[in-house]
Amino acid sequence: HRKRCPLEQHNVNSEQKARKMAAQNKEVDALVQKITGLHAAIAKLPSLSPSPDVDALFTELVTACVPPSPVDVTKLGPEAQKMREGLIRLCSEAEGKLEAHYSDMLAAFDNPLDHLGMFPYYNNYINLSKLEYELLARYVPGGIAPARVAFIGSGPLPFSSFVLAARHLPDTMFDNYDLCGAANDRASKLFRADKDVGARMSFHTADVADLAGELAKYDVVFLAALVGMAAEDKAKVIAHLGAHMADGAALVVRSAHGARGFLYPIVDPQDIAGGGFEVLAVCHPDDDVVNSVIIAQKSKDVHAIGLRRGHGGQYAYGTVPVVSPPCRFGEMVPDMAQKREEFANAEVVF
């Protein structure tokens, strides 16, 4: 076989790239078509309260969105973007109703915390909270030993705060904030029989935009995925936190990546940097943890961050520190086909 000249090799490479791109475009088009059909079916449901029909449709939706995908939902056309925004709102409403339903079921037990495994995806919260704790411990300079933590958007089932308090932060006080008074009433009932974790949990009905001086007392603030569903709303919330959090305090923001962006809002790390934070790590899990996690720290010098961003410095596009989950450093990353097969065989519960 004669050796190809550089021009021939270039042409071969270009053809391969074009074929790969065409295959990816076809895959993305098929996914968007499937998600659009599911959105239409979900939008027609008479109620989003848990029922066989609701559960079946959301299970199908999650199963379609969780596997690795070449889709970049931020680059979809206007029609698909509008559909995605509507779908995220439907997911938020359904998630709220599902959590309220299970919160009421759990509250009937003498000690609700002994029965959390009844919730279909409690394990996802265990894994997500473990990931967030490990990322904080690894990437926040000097590690973390927070005296006080705030969780913004805790809902009627504050699993994240519970798992962090019970498994990772045994000496930390947790302030849980939610817009909905009924959600806080439900949440507080779950802790009534627990003398340890229950004594370290408090619940506050408030809009994050109305919090100011109190934000300065937290060493770590967690921002739930569904607080500020539109990108501009999320950016406003982050800028507000940046204006009032203490210098050096850590911020944990939940985001989404790939097709998971049809389920949850995607947060641009640049918006976090623009809010006065230094972005320390961005992690996109590829397992049953659906949310991506961004770890940031309130900067002592907001002006310097602005200058660095403005002149292509640390926060220039493409230089955000994307990291692997700490528990899997050094492991081989399975290829996309293998991952798809795993997800096809796995049972995904919404």
Side-chain angles (χ1 to χ4, degrees), residues 123-184:
N123 274 342
N124 293 26
Y125 282 94
I126 291 174
N127 295 334
L128 174 57
S129 296
K130 179 173 184 279
L131 173 63
E132 289 172 331
Y133 173 75
E134 288 176 344
L135 290 169
L136 280 167
R138 182 179 281 267
Y139 293 103
V140 174
I144 56 153
R148 202 164 200 99
V149 160
F151 196 99
I152 313 288
S154 46
L157 275 184
F159 282 145
S160 299
S161 291
F162 170 73
V163 173
L164 287 161
R167 297 183 177 220
H168 304 295
L169 300 169
D171 303 312
T172 303
M173 303 296 286
F174 284 77
D175 286 341
N176 298 280
Y177 291 93
D178 201 279
L179 265 176
C180 176
N184 284 326

Side-chain angles (χ1 to χ4, degrees), residues 254-336:
R254 293 177 179 177
S255 180
H257 184 66
R260 299 168 184 217
F262 285 109
L263 305 172
Y264 290 104
I266 288 177
V267 184
D268 187 342
Q270 309 299 319
D271 288 339
I272 298 176
F277 293 90
E278 183 173 359
V279 178
L280 303 174
V282 178
C283 182
H284 302 305
D286 58 3
D287 54 15
D288 63 343
V289 174
V290 176
N291 291 114
S292 297
V293 177
I294 304 172
I295 304 292
Q297 188 174 36
K298 171 74 184 293
S299 174
K300 292 180 176 65
D301 192 348
V302 178
H303 182 63
I305 279 189
L307 287 175
R308 284 208 299 274
R309 290 182 75 235
H311 293 91
Q314 190 174 350
Y315 302 106
Y317 183 76
T319 61
V320 170
V322 178
V323 301
S324 301
C327 51
R328 284 186 280 147
F329 274 103
E331 284 187 22
M332 294 292 287
V333 178
D335 66 31
M336 205 176 266

